[in-house]
Amino acid sequence: MSLDVISAILVSGLVLGSVYALMASGLSLVWTTLGIFNFAHGAFMTVGAYIAWTASDQAGLGYGLAAGIALSVAVMIGLGIVLERVVVRPFYGQRDFLLITVMSTLAAMIVLQKGTQMIWGARLKQLAPIVPGKATLWRTTISAQETLIIVLAPIVLIALQLFLSRTRTGRGIRAVGQNPDAARLIGIDVSRLFYVTFALSAVLAALTGILLGSVRLLTPQFGDDPLVKALIIVIFGGLGSLNGTIVAAYAMGLVEAALTYAIGIYWTPSLIFLLLILVLLVRPQGLLGKVTR
Amino acid sequence: MTAPDTAPPAAADTAPDTAPDIALDVRDLRAGYDASDVLEGICLQVARDERVGLFGPNGHGKSTLLNTISRVIRPRAGRVAFMGEEIGQLPAQTIVARGLVHVPQANRLFPDMQILETLELSAYTPRARAAKDETLDRVLQLFPRLAERRRQACKTLSGGERQMLSIGVGLMSAPRMLMLDEPTLGLSPKLKDELAEAIAAISATGIPLLLVEQDIAFTLSLVDRMYLIDHGAISREVGRSGGVDHQEIMEMYFGTGEGA
Ligand SMILES: Nc1ncnc2c1ncn2[C@@H]1O[C@H](COP(=O)(O)OP(=O)(O)OP(=O)(O)O)[C@@H](O)[C@H]1O
Ligand SMILES: [Mg+2]
């Protein structure tokens, strides 16, 4: 294998890993805090990107990318809160909470997807890149936007870690995930932190969508593949461990890049699943995971 | 709303307004889980300068009562007033903010958080945050062992350490009244003595206490008065005038309980 090939695999693995880490961290946060898998997380990514497109693109409102990002973030905070209220909260405390919310968030995903199709149509769209042009990393040339993704992901993830470990609200979110009753008894408004968590995760998904929306093309199914990958990553990384999730995201990106080079894009997804199953046979708790959430 | 005939005569249905010296006033409280009723109309009062014990066989609803008062679970009927204000309809976090703090039974707290982090977080309500540094000093003084282990995760604490942390967490919430649920569960006699001292010190600062305990000697060393709970209702009350008599308690416990 030449250095060029290694470089190409590493760089594209890093891009993929960054995207997955951003997606999966939001999914992981919702899992640890509320104890559900949010299947609408991919739709958050799609909708977030479309909203940014509408506000920014000349074919839309044409206010430019900054306005697009701002509007998208604002709308996603609202959408996150509404979704938590409508498809999660009514079932909280029920015996089959996890299974019911699998169905209800899947339903939300379908509604959001069909809504996207209805509002924006099936025609392909693309966001303008935040940074235009090309950049060369080591021996591989990628778009400047992809370089931005590589740089921005760790910054966002570190900010997320700091938020969770240093701020009152962040610590509160962790407390709610670890023991909601004990959290209530020290005066934490658990419902409010559920909203905050959902909104935060929706914003993370939208951010991923906005970053990726100039690299890939926007379709109503834009978020499907990242959602599936993020789900695998959250399980793979060990449920309930944000660090495990992040490590798993980058591992998945690199493995996917290497497999795609070695055996092509056709069989790669199947092999990734096979790999996941093998790892879980050896380590049922995932890479860095705990046994329970 | 009629009180069941097992209710103590002091429950005075005829005086719905709480006297000004009452910290906690519980009237005909009913609660349970799914199809089962656990509390069958509890009436009890704790005065502002009082330390009250709650005593009874396993599974008769002591923890359920505290959980209902602090709104971890929803009451089905009845009223709860704290410092003269109705709190029965308030959410748990507001009750804590008002100063009624519940230290639950065998609280495993936040497994992956460190001691210090847990204590800091527990000063969560605005009132608690205002006094955070002072209270933290006090808690670490009261429980030096927590100070030694401030970076240790909750899940790795011993039973005694966890119990100390639970009480410390309660103190960090700036209580105007404390409800402690079996603080000595599973502890050695030596640790029990240490905890009794700490609890006495806390209560000496003027914080009224509702103490659920299975250890009679421990309870007697701390309370002015006791209720016996039996099948979800208060069946007896002892020691309103004068101290609590050990003999009386033994009779009450082994006489009406379903065998300890
Ligand atoms: N979460 C729950 N779901 C269903 N039933 C419960 C629940 N918690 C307690 N119970 C039941 O309610 C009854 C009273 O329990 P509770 O914990 O209040 O008793 P307790 O007096 O505190 O007992 P102990 O001295 O053992 O702590 C018991 O029959 C118990 O099985
Ligand atoms: Mg109990």
Side-chain angles (χ1 to χ4, degrees):
Chain A
M1 225 184 331
S2 73
L3 278 182
D4 282 346
V5 171
I6 295 175
S7 162
I9 290 175
L10 280 179
V11 169
S12 80
L14 263 181
V15 174
L16 282 174
S18 307
V19 168
Y20 294 160
L22 287 175
M23 272 305 270
S25 60
L27 203 63
S28 168
L29 193 62
V30 166
W31 165 259
T32 32
T33 311
L34 287 92
I36 68 163
F37 276 119
N38 176 21
F39 281 88
H41 197 62
F44 279 163
M45 173 178 163
T46 311
V47 173
Y50 270 105
I51 291 170
W53 179 87
T54 295
S56 63
D57 202 86
Q58 287 310 319
L61 301 172
Y63 291 137
L65 206 51
I69 295 171
L71 182 71
S72 175
V73 167
V75 172
M76 293 316 287
I77 289 174
L79 190 60
I81 290 173
V82 168
L83 208 83
E84 197 277 338
R85 182 70 192 78
V86 175
V87 306
V88 181
R89 180 147 314 185
F91 310 110
Y92 205 75
Q94 291 198 6
R95 234 179 281 276
D96 296 318
F97 180 59
L98 180 58
L99 292 179
I100 293 174
T101 52
V102 164
M103 290 188 282
S104 65
T105 58
L106 265 176
M109 170 187 123
I110 293 167
V111 169
L112 286 174
Q113 224 168 46
K114 296 297 173 197
T116 307
Q117 180 130 21
M118 218 173 76
I119 297 171
W120 285 285
R123 248 180 72 198
L124 302 176
K125 303 191 168 28
Q126 193 161 33
L127 273 165
I130 296 171
V131 281
K134 302 257 171 220
T136 302
L137 287 187
W138 193 22
R139 290 156 169 260
T140 306
T141 301
I142 51 175
S143 66
Q145 177 81 7
E146 285 170 296
T147 316
L148 179 71
I149 294 177
I150 293 179
V151 175
L152 214 54
I155 294 175
V156 171
L157 295 172
I158 288 169
L160 180 64
Q161 289 282 21
L162 286 177
F163 167 72
L164 290 173
S165 61
R166 300 288 164 82
T167 68
R168 179 167 165 265
T169 304
R171 285 176 166 184
I173 286 174
R174 283 165 53 222
V176 168
Q178 293 174 32
N179 192 343
D181 280 342
R184 275 187 191 97
L185 289 179
I186 58 173
I188 292 179
D189 184 343
V190 172
S191 314
R192 195 183 136 260
L193 292 195
F194 280 174
Y195 283 143
V196 173
T197 305
F198 238 83
L200 185 62
S201 117
V203 167
L204 282 166
L207 196 66
T208 319
I210 292 167
L211 285 169
L212 205 59
S214 68
V215 179
R216 295 185 190 168
L217 295 168
L218 292 185
T219 69
Q221 288 76 40
F222 179 59
D224 288 7
D225 176 67
L227 169 72
V228 172
K229 297 286 165 53
L231 280 169
I232 298 177
I233 286 162
V234 171
I235 297 169
F236 197 58
L239 292 168
S241 151
L242 185 55
N243 287 333
T245 299
I246 292 168
V247 171
Y250 283 99
M252 167 85 96
L254 288 169
V255 167
E256 188 177 332
L259 282 178
T260 306
Y261 173 79
I263 62 168
I265 204 145
Y266 191 75
W267 285 109
T268 296
S270 320
L271 258 173
I272 284 176
F273 271 101
L274 193 66
L275 217 64
L276 170 78
I277 292 166
L278 288 178
V279 169
L280 290 181
L281 277 177
V282 185
R283 284 186 62 84
Q285 72 276 41
L287 282 181
L288 303 181
K290 292 157 279 188
V291 178
T292 57
R293 82 177 173 94
Chain B
M1 283 202 303
T2 52
D5 49 15
T6 47
D13 266 337
T14 48
D17 292 316
T18 303
D21 60 335
I22 296 294
L24 182 69
D25 189 0
V26 175
R27 298 289 171 105
D28 202 33
L29 196 63
R30 291 164 186 276
Y33 306 93
D34 297 326
S36 74
D37 293 318
V38 176
L39 304 183
E40 313 257 10
I42 295 267
C43 297
L44 64 79
Q45 283 80 37
V46 178
R48 292 189 191 214
D49 58 355
E50 223 183 2
R51 302 171 298 181
V52 173
L54 182 66
F55 196 71
N58 295 118
H60 280 224
K62 303 181 296 296
S63 300
T64 304
L65 173 61
L66 297 201
N67 283 332
T68 311
I69 295 172
S70 60
R71 272 308 287 273
V72 172
I73 63 175
R74 217 177 269 272
R76 290 184 175 161
R79 294 172 38 196
V80 181
F82 179 61
M83 301 295 178
E85 289 171 42
E86 283 291 328
I87 59 163
Q89 301 306 315
L90 299 179
Q93 69 268 16
T94 313
I95 292 174
V96 177
R98 296 268 179 98
L100 180 54
V101 174
H102 173 194
V103 177
Q105 182 174 339
N107 193 358
R108 54 179 192 90
L109 289 162
F110 312 114
D112 293 326
M113 278 198 195
Q114 298 167 356
I115 289 185
L116 189 63
E117 203 181 4
T118 305
L119 287 171
E120 283 173 355
L121 177 69
S122 304
Y124 197 87
T125 67
R127 216 164 41 82
R129 245 180 309 156
K132 179 168 155 187
D133 294 341
E134 276 165 60
T135 322
L136 185 61
D137 284 345
R138 220 179 100 225
V139 169
L140 295 181
Q141 233 165 44
L142 204 57
F143 302 115
R145 215 177 299 204
L146 295 183
E148 288 162 25
R149 301 170 178 273
R150 59 183 73 203
R151 299 274 167 226
Q152 199 172 321
C154 290
K155 67 177 166 202
T156 62
L157 297 181
S158 74
E161 289 157 359
R162 188 165 316 166
Q163 209 49 265
M164 292 174 191
L165 183 57
S166 295
I167 295 173
V169 160
L171 288 176
M172 291 304 293
S173 312
R176 294 161 74 204
M177 171 169 172
L178 264 181
M179 303 191 289
L180 303 178
D181 197 347
E182 309 216 15
T184 71
L185 195 71
L187 301 190
S188 71
K190 184 170 167 290
L191 261 182
K192 280 189 186 180
D193 289 347
E194 267 183 63
L195 267 190
E197 236 171 77
I199 293 171
I202 293 164
S203 128
T205 62
I207 297 177
L209 215 59
L210 180 57
L211 176 67
V212 173
E213 253 300 330
Q214 297 282 11
D215 182 327
I216 303 181
F218 181 90
T219 314
L220 287 179
S221 72
L222 283 169
V223 305
D224 312 307
R225 190 159 67 83
M226 271 181 75
Y227 290 104
L228 176 76
I229 190 169
D230 186 13
H231 290 100
I234 300 294
S235 63
R236 280 193 64 184
E237 180 195 342
V238 274
R240 185 178 277 283
S241 51
V244 182
D245 176 39
H246 191 250
Q247 189 60 40
E248 199 179 351
I249 301 288
M250 295 305 280
E251 260 167 39
M252 166 174 124
Y253 191 48
F254 296 109
T256 54
E258 293 191 325

